[in-house]
């Protein structure tokens, strides 16, 4: 705000310690809220915003921002079981996986296990990216997928097939 000038007539400039003067167009509303979109190089920038009124009086404030590069997808792997393995109906199947992400912490990743009938469970990776999900599956050939997503839309998905059934019985009637 300014005592002499309407807020929409104030002049704003932004300076980066990395890139120098940053060219941008500012929008200032009647309440004095200024907004702009700027594109900066990847890295940490100390930005200084200077507002100037019609008499040349100025005020400034500074902020430090970190500009990140483009988001990359997380990586994921199912360590066990192997695709095609057979399990008994009612058995709790241990699914072991590994996840990683170049930009996000492991705690920011969302891990979901599902099959053709829908979501089975979710997992949280440990500090090394390992995760375990103990899941009972319905009888039949099951297409199980592990889907890992990060908060910025990155996605990794892997699918495997496991077979769930009833083991045959064998009776020996004579030696």
């Amino acid at each position: 705000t300014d005592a002499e000038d309407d807020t929409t007539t104030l002049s704003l400039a932004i300076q980066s310690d990395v890139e120098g003067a940053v060219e941008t167009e500012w929008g200032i509303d009647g309440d004095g809220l200024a907004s702009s979109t700027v594109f900066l190089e990847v890295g940490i920038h100390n930005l200084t915003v200077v507002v100037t009124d019609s008499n040349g009086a100025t005020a400034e404030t500074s902020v430090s921002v970190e500009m990140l590069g483009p988001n990359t997808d997380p990586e994921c792997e199912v360590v066990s079981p192997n695709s095609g393995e057979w399990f008994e109906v009612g058995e709790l199947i241990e699914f072991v996986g590994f996840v990683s992400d170049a930009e996000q912490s492991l705690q920011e990743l969302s891990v979901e296990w599902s099959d053709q009938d829908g979501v089975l469970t979710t997992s949280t990776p440990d500090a090394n990216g390992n995760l375990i999900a103990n899941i009972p599956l319905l009888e039949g050939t099951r297409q199980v997928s592990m889907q890992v997503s990060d908060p910025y839309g990155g996605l990794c998905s892997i699918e495997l097939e496991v077979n769930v059934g009833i083991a045959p019985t064998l009776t020996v009637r004579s030696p």
Side-chain angles (χ1 to χ4, degrees):
T1 61
D2 187 73
E4 299 94 27
D5 295 325
D6 180 73
T7 56
T8 59
T9 64
L10 299 174
S11 169
L12 287 155
I14 189 167
Q15 183 83 18
S16 164
D17 67 332
V18 175
E19 296 184 33
V22 178
E23 295 296 321
T24 188
E25 290 188 25
W26 290 91
I28 306 174
D29 68 16
D31 295 326
L33 179 64
S35 62
S36 182
T37 300
V38 295
F39 297 94
L40 301 169
E41 296 174 14
V42 173
I44 297 175
H45 295 260
N46 293 309
L47 302 176
T48 302
V49 178
V50 179
V51 60
T52 306
D53 70 11
S54 62
N55 294 323
T58 63
E60 69 179 56
T61 189
S62 297
V63 65
S64 181
V65 296
E66 181 177 6
M67 302 304 295
L68 303 175
N71 186 44
T72 58
D73 290 339
E75 295 184 13
C76 61
E77 173 186 6
V78 174
V79 178
S80 69
N82 292 317
S83 194
E85 278 193 54
W86 185 89
F87 297 92
E88 181 81 25
V89 169
E91 182 178 350
L92 204 56
I93 304 169
E94 182 178 78
F95 288 86
V96 178
F98 176 77
V99 297
S100 64
D101 193 294
E103 297 91 23
Q104 274 59 247
S105 72
L106 296 172
Q107 288 69 38
E108 293 180 286
L109 300 178
S110 173
V111 181
E112 187 175 88
W113 298 88
S114 60
D115 70 3
Q116 60 264 43
D117 292 331
V119 176
L120 299 166
T121 192
T122 59
S123 297
T124 302
D126 68 15
N128 297 313
N130 301 305
L131 48 91
I132 296 174
N134 293 300
I135 306 170
L137 294 174
L138 297 175
E139 186 174 358
T141 300
R142 310 307 296 175
Q143 301 295 325
V144 178
S145 70
M146 177 177 73
Q147 188 170 47
V148 182
S149 58
D150 70 27
Y152 301 103
L155 185 66
C156 177
S157 185
I158 190 163
E159 188 172 291
L160 69 145
E161 182 179 284
V162 294
N163 299 295
V164 180
I166 299 170
T169 58
L170 175 65
T171 304
V172 177
R173 295 190 180 202
S174 66

